[in-house]
Amino acid sequence: MFKLLVKRVIASLMIVNVMGLGLVPAAQAGVIGTQTWLQMEQREARLARVNSVVLEQEVQQELLARGVDADEVQARIAALTDEELLTLESELDKLPAGGDALAVIGAVFLVLIILELVGVINVFKGV
C-alpha cells in the first residue's frame, strides 16, 4: 500500500514536471534608437574620462589625505545622473593644466638631442 502511494506521488510529480517543460519563458528584445545608443556611449566616455582623472596618483593621494576611500568615489561616480556627470566633466575642463609639463619638456629635449646627433641641427655648438 505504501509502495503504491509512493508510486502515485512520483508519477504525479513527473507528469507535472513534463508538462512544465513546454512552458519556456519567451525572451523579449527591443530595438534601441540611435539617440539612446549615442547617449549611452557619451555617458561611458564621460565616465571613463572622470575615472581616469580620479585614478591619477596625485588625486588618489589627496583623497586618502582627506580620508575618502577610492572605491567609494568610484561607486558615487557610477551613480551620477547624466546631468551631474556632464557638470563634473565640464568642471574638470576648467581645472588648471600642467600635470604633464615635465613630460612635454623631456620629450622636446629628447627630440633636440636626437636631431643634434643625426646632424640636422646644431643646438649645442656653443657648449
Side-chain angles (χ1 to χ4, degrees), residues 46 49-50 53 85-97:
R46 286 186 182 113
R49 180 157 186 269
V50 170
V53 171
L85 191 59
L86 181 62
T87 304
L88 180 60
E89 185 186 30
S90 66
E91 291 297 320
L92 289 178
D93 291 334
K94 295 176 186 176
L95 293 175

Side-chain angles (χ1 to χ4, degrees), residues 74-112:
Q74 295 289 331
R76 287 187 179 198
I77 289 173
L80 291 175
T81 64
D82 290 335
E83 294 81 22
E84 293 169 336
L85 191 59
L86 181 62
T87 304
L88 180 60
E89 185 186 30
S90 66
E91 291 297 320
L92 289 178
D93 291 334
K94 295 176 186 176
L95 293 175
D100 294 329
L102 189 58
V104 171
I105 292 170
V108 170
F109 185 72
L110 184 64
V111 169
L112 287 175

Side-chain angles (χ1 to χ4, degrees), residues 1 7 15 34 44 53 67 70 80 89 100-101 105 113 119 124:
M1 171 119 164
K7 285 181 182 180
I15 289 172
T34 305
E44 289 176 15
V53 171
L80 291 175
E89 185 186 30
D100 294 329
I105 292 170
I113 289 176
F124 302 109

Side-chain angles (χ1 to χ4, degrees), residues 8 11 20 24 41 83 115:
R8 285 186 181 176
V24 178
E41 287 294 315
E83 294 81 22
L115 290 175

